[in-house]
Amino acid sequence: MITDPVNRFIEALHCFPALPRVFNPWFSVDPEHDASSLAPTHRIDNLSRYLTERLGRAKVILIAEAPGYQGCHFSGIPMTSERILLGQLTHKGIYPGDVLSGEVTRCSRTDGPVGRRGAKEPTATVVWQAIKTAGLDPRECVLWNAFAFHPFDTDMLTNRKPSSDELRDGLPMLHQLLELFPDAQRVAIGKVSKGILDKLDIPTSAELRHPANGGITAFRTGFAEYVGRL
C-alpha cells in the first residue's frame, strides 16, 4: 500500500483511465516528440519533487484550465515549460531551482519541432515571473489545472478545451490535489477556469485575468495585489 500522499496522488494520475485525444504526461509516451520511453518516469519525478517541496508550505493554488503541449505535456508540471526546468529562462529571472531542487532530465527530443532549448510556454513564463516579482516564495505557490491532463486536437502539438465529460471524469484528480494542500487558498486563472471550478463546486478566493490575449499586465497587477493581501 502507498502511504505517502504525494506518491499516492501520482499513482492515481499514472493509472487514470485513457481517454480519446487526451495525453497523460505521467503514463504515456509521445512517440514522435519524447526523447525516450523513460519520459513519463522523468515527468513523474519532476512532479513528485515539485509537490513534495510544497507540502505544508503552500499558501495559494493557482488553477488554470488544462495543460498545454508547450508546458506540462513535456515537463510534467502544470504551467511550467521544459525550457524553465532546463535553465533556459534565467535571463528572465526564472531558475530551475524556483520550481524544484536537483537535476532535471530532458523529456523532449532535441532534434524535433520542440527545439534544442525545450518547449517554451508564454503563460508559464508570465506566471513564474509574477511569482518571483510579487515576493512570494515559490514553495508557497502550487500551479495546477481544473483538468489534469493534456487535451489535444489534431496531433500532440495542439491544444483544445476539455469537454464537460472529461472535466467530470477528472474531478477526483482535482479533489486529490486540493487535499494535499488543505490550508492553501484556491485562485482561478481566467474566466474559463473560474466557470469550470464554479460548475464543479470548487470554491475559490479570487479570480485573476488570464495572461493570454493581452492580459499580461492585468494578471501581474492582480496577482501582486492578491499576494499583498495574504
Side-chain angles (χ1 to χ4, degrees), residues 63-229:
I63 306 173
E65 182 180 4
Y69 75 88
Q70 294 170 297
C72 187
H73 181 103
F74 291 112
S75 72
I77 301 173
M79 285 180 277
T80 303
S81 66
E82 194 173 38
R83 192 169 293 195
I84 291 175
L85 297 184
L86 296 174
Q88 297 293 322
L89 290 182
T90 57
H91 62 288
K92 292 184 177 291
I94 311 171
Y95 295 83
D98 295 328
V99 184
L100 49 79
S101 302
E103 298 296 321
V104 171
T105 300
R106 177 171 179 149
C107 293
S108 63
R109 289 173 46 190
T110 58
D111 60 346
V114 170
R116 64 178 182 81
R117 298 176 63 199
K120 177 186 177 183
E121 185 178 52
T123 294
T125 303
V126 173
V127 169
W128 277 100
Q129 282 182 320
I131 292 172
K132 295 292 295 291
T133 58
L136 187 67
D137 184 328
R139 266 65 177 180
E140 295 177 337
C141 184
V142 174
L143 306 178
W144 201 252
N145 291 289
F147 184 64
F149 311 96
H150 171 216
F152 61 90
D153 190 8
T154 55
D155 59 68
M156 291 291 190
L157 299 188
T158 58
N159 299 322
R160 66 173 174 83
K161 294 181 180 298
S163 68
S164 296
D165 287 345
E166 288 166 346
L167 289 167
R168 183 199 62 232
D169 292 343
L171 183 57
M173 298 295 92
L174 179 57
H175 280 306
Q176 285 190 45
L177 182 281
L178 298 177
E179 288 171 0
L180 290 176
F181 307 97
D183 298 324
Q185 297 185 23
R186 297 95 175 255
V187 176
I189 298 183
K191 292 184 180 300
V192 173
S193 175
K194 183 64 166 65
I196 290 172
L197 295 173
D198 287 346
K199 188 175 181 179
L200 297 176
D201 293 323
I202 304 292
T204 56
S205 59
E207 174 193 335
L208 300 176
R209 173 76 157 82
H210 197 286
N213 302 317
I216 292 177
T217 299
F219 171 80
R220 287 173 173 164
T221 301
F223 184 68
E225 291 176 350
Y226 177 81
V227 171
R229 297 192 298 269

Side-chain angles (χ1 to χ4, degrees), residues 45-56:
D45 180 62
N46 290 346
L47 183 62
S48 177
R49 285 186 283 157
Y50 172 81
L51 294 176
T52 299
E53 291 175 12
R54 285 157 178 79
L55 287 179

Side-chain angles (χ1 to χ4, degrees), residues 9-27:
F9 172 62
I10 291 177
E11 178 67 14
L13 291 173
H14 177 80
C15 296
F16 188 80
L19 297 174
R21 294 193 301 144
V22 172
F23 180 76
N24 183 339
W26 309 284
F27 176 79

